[in-house]
């Protein structure tokens, strides 16, 4: 059974349909790639699934929660979801370490008031920062990192959440080959640890290399889905990308 | 000497206001100009209770703080839904409403006539009647508030406040109900402002609404921004500098009425200059 | 005696004053997206310019009014040129701009008080020399008729100007997307400078009219600004006709509100209306 499922999901912006009756299922413990031309609704889908945009019609079933019609951002960790952003959204005027620590600490206001750094949490933060080679930069402000490092820090922040489902919005965009290797290693590692990864990506070689399943969107609807080798060779998929 | 003590007491009061406002403006990144209202609530509650009852300074102050907390909770429920400009404007609105209550609820506050004859505080049999004694009381409270603010700033709570300042929507996705964090810091900060109000009322022994206008909020904001956003020592520095400023202006020798206006003018010019050339203030850790 | 017609007349007059401020505030907000607090003090600048040229220098009323409006516009343009434009170039946040404008507000208000003292002044020479009209049982003075006409002309003029002229199209482009307008070759800094001139001139006119209707003092700007901003938010921030609708609503709510409550609470009523809107309809009547 799929871990994440949408049923006839519809999202409009001022009358323009961004997602149109989309029904898809994401299998647990797999890597699913979402591809499609610009404006096909990929990022909108991730924003809807993470509660950052409300949706009008349809429902979402995720992990243990049935038929959600409203998703609140602060509840998505409860559903086991975490995400990264296409346009990097770090806590800029805070240190690299604080960017990670903040997702490890207590969510309740009053517990948070009386909580300090703990060695245990520091160790967790160290682990994820070492995974992206940013531990040495832990005391720098996020705003002072390079573009690639910022991208990696966002991924580290998501890793620290230890969720079941990772929604990664273009994790490779603009990265140097060395960093691409780091990130794809992290993604494979997640799968090995029985996590579910959904990623938006334009590079078809990466999709073929990483993904078990690929979903092609075009104009807010599902164009095709299945094993990357087969789907990416389909005529309608190629046409959607290159134009007729 | 007596005058130096007076300045030291004023410094303590404004440092408390600056520290507590820094929690909202510097750490949480919300521009609140409602501080004068809670300062006034603390001052009026303490003054009225000291004049009309004999429950003593500690008890009066405590009731003032609780009252400020309740009002801050109600106001914060509305304000915490907003950020940026709307937060600033809403807080301005509450400051003006509070001022019109101080001014117009004449049965209670005597309106513009003010409340004279507030007794000096007495705690555990010690009467803080001289400036020398009062400065000790004020300093002790200031130190307590400073450490309370430091605890808050260094806690996990404090870190979440900073993320709200940086990107409120992003931190929500990681499971935080930002509204409650904003509300809590607002209430804590208001309670501290009420402490400053209690001290002020008991020290000056006469209060009237003119102290608690929006300009007072702007003055405290100037302290916070000049000293440094998201840096508690910055607020101490800011309070020190801005308390000294009138003395410098006096030294230059402006006549009475103009001196007051010159002070306002200097605060205003300072805010502009800071925004243009040093938006984090002297030793701040956050650029507005 | 039936007081309803008089209250309706008062509501429309108050609404007209707020309209002038709200539409000009919205014009500037639309293009710059920051809460320009200095807008309030433009009213006092206009009014004091007329006080100086008309009453102290003895120029004719119309010349003085013209000079007053131009000076207000000029100062608005200067503020943009030397404070807000450099801040925009540094990519300063909205809050930094807001704080800078708060600073400029404080400076200008203090300057007026230093030059003209903070006493109340009148623009007219005597009392009771104004012609009055009676309309459907409500009495309205000549100045008040002018206020209503000015509000109508300014709102209609601005709407026409934005819709039908080439310059208006550029203004709308800048308001929609500053960056894109720059790319397609619009000189956004020049357009914003002109917007500041026009907006500030309208605020100056509002201050002058209020001055002829009642009296002037250096601090007159803050309350006028806040009412204007409340009207702008209630109507729909950034929208010209939204501002006018909001202003009219505010005028009616205030004046009908004080039938039952003492008139000192007018400001509190206005902010009560704002808070209701912030809770239930934060994007205003026309939903911008």
């Amino acid at each position: 059974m799929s871990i994440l499922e949408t049923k006839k999901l519809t999202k409009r912006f001022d009358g323009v349909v961004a997602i149109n009756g989309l029904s898809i299922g994401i299998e647990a413990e797999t890597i699913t790639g979402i591809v499609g031309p610009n404006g096909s609704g990929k990022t909108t889908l991730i924003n809807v699934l993470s509660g950052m945009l409300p949706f009008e019609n349809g429902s979402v079933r995720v992990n243990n929660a049935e038929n959600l019609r409203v998703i609140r951002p602060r509840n998505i960790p409860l559903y086991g979801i975490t995400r990264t952003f296409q346009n990097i959204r770090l806590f800029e005027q805070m240190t690299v370490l604080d960017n990670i620590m903040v997702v490890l600490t207590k969510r309740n206001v009053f517990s948070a008031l009386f909580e300090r750094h703990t060695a245990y949490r520091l160790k967790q933060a160290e682990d994820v920062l070492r995974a992206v080679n940013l531990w040495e930069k832990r005391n720098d402000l996020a705003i002072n990192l390079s573009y690639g490092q910022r991208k990696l820090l966002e991924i580290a922040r998501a890793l620290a959440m230890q969720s079941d489902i990772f929604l990664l919005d273009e994790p490779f965009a603009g990265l140097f080959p060395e960093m691409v290797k780091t990130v794809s290693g992290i993604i494979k590692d997640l799968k090995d640890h029985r996590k579910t990864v959904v990623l938006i990506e334009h590079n078809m070689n990466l999709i073929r290399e990483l993904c078990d399943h690929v979903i092609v969107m075009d104009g807010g609807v599902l164009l095709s889905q299945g094993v990357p080798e087969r789907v990416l060779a389909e005529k309608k998929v190629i046409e959607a990308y290159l134009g007729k | 000497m007596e005058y130096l003590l007076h300045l030291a007491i004023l410094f303590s009061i404004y440092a408390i206001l600056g520290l507590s406002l820094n929690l909202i403006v510097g750490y949480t990144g919300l521009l609140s100009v409602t501080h004068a209202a809670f300062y006034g609530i603390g001052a009026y509650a303490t003054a009225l209770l000291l004049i009309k009852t004999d429950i003593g300074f500690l008890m009066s102050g405590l009731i003032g703080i609780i009252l400020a907390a309740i009002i801050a909770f109600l106001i914060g429920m509305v304000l915490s839904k907003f950020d940026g400009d709307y937060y600033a404007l809403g807080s301005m609105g509450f400051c003006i409403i509070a001022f019109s209550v101080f001014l117009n609820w004449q049965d209670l506050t005597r309106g513009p006539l003010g409340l004279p004859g507030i007794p000096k505080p007495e705690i555990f049999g010690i009467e803080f009647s001289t400036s020398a004694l009062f400065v000790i009381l004020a300093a002790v409270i200031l130190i307590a508030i400073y450490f309370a603010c430091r605890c808050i700033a260094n806690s996990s709570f404090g870190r979440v406040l900073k993320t709200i300042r940086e990107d409120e929507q992003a931190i929500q996705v990681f499971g935080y109900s930002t509204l409650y964090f904003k509300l809590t810091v607002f209430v804590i900060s208001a309670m501290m402002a009420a402490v400053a109000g209690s001290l002020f009322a008991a020290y000056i022994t006469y209060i009237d609404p003119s102290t608690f206008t929006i300009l007072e909020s702007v003055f405290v904001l100037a302290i916070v921004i000049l000293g440094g956003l998201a840096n508690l020592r910055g607020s101490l520095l800011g309070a020190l500098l801005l308390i000294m400023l009138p003395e410098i202006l006096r030294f230059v020798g402006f006549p009475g009425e103009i001196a007051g206006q010159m002070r306002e003018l200097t605060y205003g010019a300072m805010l502009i200059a800071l925004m243009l050339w040093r938006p984090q203030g002297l030793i701040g850790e956050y650029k507005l | 005696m039936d007081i309803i017609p008089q209250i309706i007349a008062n509501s429309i007059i108050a609404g007209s004053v707020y309209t002038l401020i709200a539409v000009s505030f919205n014009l500037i907000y639309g293009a710059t997206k920051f809460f320009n607090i200095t807008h309030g003090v433009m009213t006092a600048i206009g009014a004091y310019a007329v006080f100086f040229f008309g009453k102290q220098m003895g120029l004719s009323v119309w010349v003085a009014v013209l000079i007053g409006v131009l000076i207000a516009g000029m100062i608005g343009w200067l503020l943009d040129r030397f404070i807000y434009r450099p801040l925009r170039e540094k990519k300063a946040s909205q809050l930094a701009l807001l704080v800078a404008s708060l600073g400029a507000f404080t400076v200008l208000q203090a300057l007026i008080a230093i030059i003209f003292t903070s006493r109340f002044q009148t623009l007219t020479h005597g009392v009771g020399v104004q012609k009055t009209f009676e309309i459907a049982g409500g009495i309205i003075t000549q100045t008040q008729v002018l206020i209503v006409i000015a509000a109508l002309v300014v709102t209609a003029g601005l709407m026409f100007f934005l819709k039908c002229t080439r310059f208006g199209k550029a203004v709308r482009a800048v308001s929609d997307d500053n960056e894109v307008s720059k790319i397609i070759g619009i000189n956004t800094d020049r357009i914003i400078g002109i917007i500041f001139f026009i907006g500030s001139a309208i605020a100056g006119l509002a201050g002058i009219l209020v001055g002829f209707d009642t009296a002037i003092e250096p601090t007159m700007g803050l309350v006028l600004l806040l009412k204007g901003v409340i009207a702008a938010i209630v109507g729909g921030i950034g929208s010209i006709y939204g501002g006018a609708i909001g202003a009219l609503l505010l005028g009616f709510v205030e004046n009908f509100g004080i039938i039952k409550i003492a008139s000192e609470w007018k400001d509190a009523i206005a902010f009560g209306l704002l808070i209701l809107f912030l809770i239930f309809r934060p994007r205003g009547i026309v939903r911008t």
Side-chain angles (χ1 to χ4, degrees), chain B residues 241-283:
Chain B
L241 291 175
L242 286 193
I243 292 297
M244 308 268 281
L245 179 70
E247 307 312 314
I248 299 163
L249 289 178
R250 187 201 310 271
F251 189 71
V252 177
F254 288 108
E257 201 210 358
I258 292 184
Q261 301 299 344
M262 278 309 291
R263 211 159 58 217
E264 301 290 334
L265 194 145
T266 318
Y267 303 149
M270 204 187 67
L271 284 179
I272 300 172
L274 282 169
M275 287 303 106
L276 279 171
W277 296 297
R278 204 171 164 83
Q280 73 273 45
L282 293 176
I283 54 173

Side-chain angles (χ1 to χ4, degrees), chain A residues 10-20 39 41 44 53-54 56 219-220:
Chain A
T10 299
K11 167 72 200 167
R12 290 188 189 86
F13 291 109
D14 293 331
V16 182
V17 186
I19 298 178
N20 195 358
T44 305
L53 289 175
E56 285 82 36

Side-chain angles (χ1 to χ4, degrees), chain B residues 1-9 130-133 135-136 203:
Chain B
M1 187 61 200
E2 185 67 14
Y3 193 68
L4 274 181
L5 289 175
H6 169 72
L7 287 182
I9 293 166
T130 67
S131 295
L133 282 171
V135 85
I136 295 171
Y203 173 62

Side-chain angles (χ1 to χ4, degrees), chain B:
Chain B
M1 187 61 200
E2 185 67 14
Y3 193 68
L4 274 181
L5 289 175
H6 169 72
L7 287 182
I9 293 166
L10 280 189
F11 161 74
S12 305
I13 291 170
Y14 281 101
I16 293 171
L17 289 171
L19 287 168
S20 52
L21 188 65
N22 205 344
L23 291 178
I24 302 181
V25 181
Y27 286 88
T28 326
L30 297 167
L31 197 70
S32 168
V33 279
T34 195
H35 231 49
F38 298 112
Y39 182 43
I41 289 167
Y44 267 99
T46 309
L48 285 167
L49 288 167
L50 280 176
I51 291 168
K52 296 193 175 169
T53 70
D54 50 5
I55 56 173
F57 177 72
L58 275 187
M59 209 50 202
S60 311
L62 195 65
I63 294 174
I65 294 166
I66 293 170
L67 186 68
I70 295 169
I71 295 170
F73 180 81
L74 297 174
I75 294 172
M77 290 282 276
V78 180
L79 276 187
S80 300
K81 290 184 182 165
F82 299 96
D83 58 10
D85 303 339
Y86 277 62
Y87 194 97
L89 180 73
S91 74
M92 207 179 270
F94 285 115
C95 197
I96 285 179
I97 292 179
F99 176 72
S100 62
V101 171
F102 299 144
L103 188 67
N104 297 322
W105 193 355
Q106 304 215 349
D107 299 340
L108 190 68
T109 65
R110 302 193 350 129
L113 297 175
L115 296 170
I118 303 163
K120 288 278 185 181
E122 194 186 314
I123 302 168
F124 306 128
I126 308 166
E127 201 189 334
F128 293 87
S129 49
T130 67
S131 295
L133 282 171
F134 202 97
V135 85
I136 295 171
L137 176 69
V140 167
I141 293 178
L142 170 61
I143 291 167
I145 296 269
Y146 177 78
F147 281 99
C149 287
R150 218 177 68 166
C151 275
I152 292 167
N154 291 340
S155 68
S156 298
F157 178 85
R159 192 187 292 114
V160 178
L161 293 185
K162 290 193 208 166
T163 62
I164 292 173
R165 170 188 88 191
E166 297 299 324
D167 191 337
E168 185 174 355
Q169 216 188 4
I171 193 61
Q172 284 173 348
V173 176
F174 294 97
Y176 287 99
S177 305
T178 53
L179 191 137
Y180 298 124
F181 281 81
K182 286 157 92 176
L183 179 59
T184 308
V185 74
F186 188 71
V187 171
I188 291 173
S189 174
M191 289 163 76
M192 291 175 175
V195 172
S198 298
L199 270 179
F200 178 76
Y203 173 62
I204 299 289
T205 71
Y206 165 81
I207 55 170
D208 72 350
S210 68
T211 312
F212 310 108
T213 63
I214 198 151
L215 280 176
E216 193 75 355
S217 292
V218 175
F219 178 61
V220 181
L221 188 68
I223 288 178
V224 175
I225 296 179
L226 171 68
L229 291 160
N231 183 325
L232 295 173
R233 269 168 297 164
S235 297
L236 299 181
L237 179 66
L240 186 68
L241 291 175
L242 286 193
I243 292 297
M244 308 268 281
L245 179 70
E247 307 312 314
I248 299 163
L249 289 178
R250 187 201 310 271
F251 189 71
V252 177
F254 288 108
E257 201 210 358
I258 292 184
Q261 301 299 344
M262 278 309 291
R263 211 159 58 217
E264 301 290 334
L265 194 145
T266 318
Y267 303 149
M270 204 187 67
L271 284 179
I272 300 172
L274 282 169
M275 287 303 106
L276 279 171
W277 296 297
R278 204 171 164 83
Q280 73 273 45
L282 293 176
I283 54 173
E285 290 169 13
Y286 163 58
K287 288 182 189 164
L288 201 64

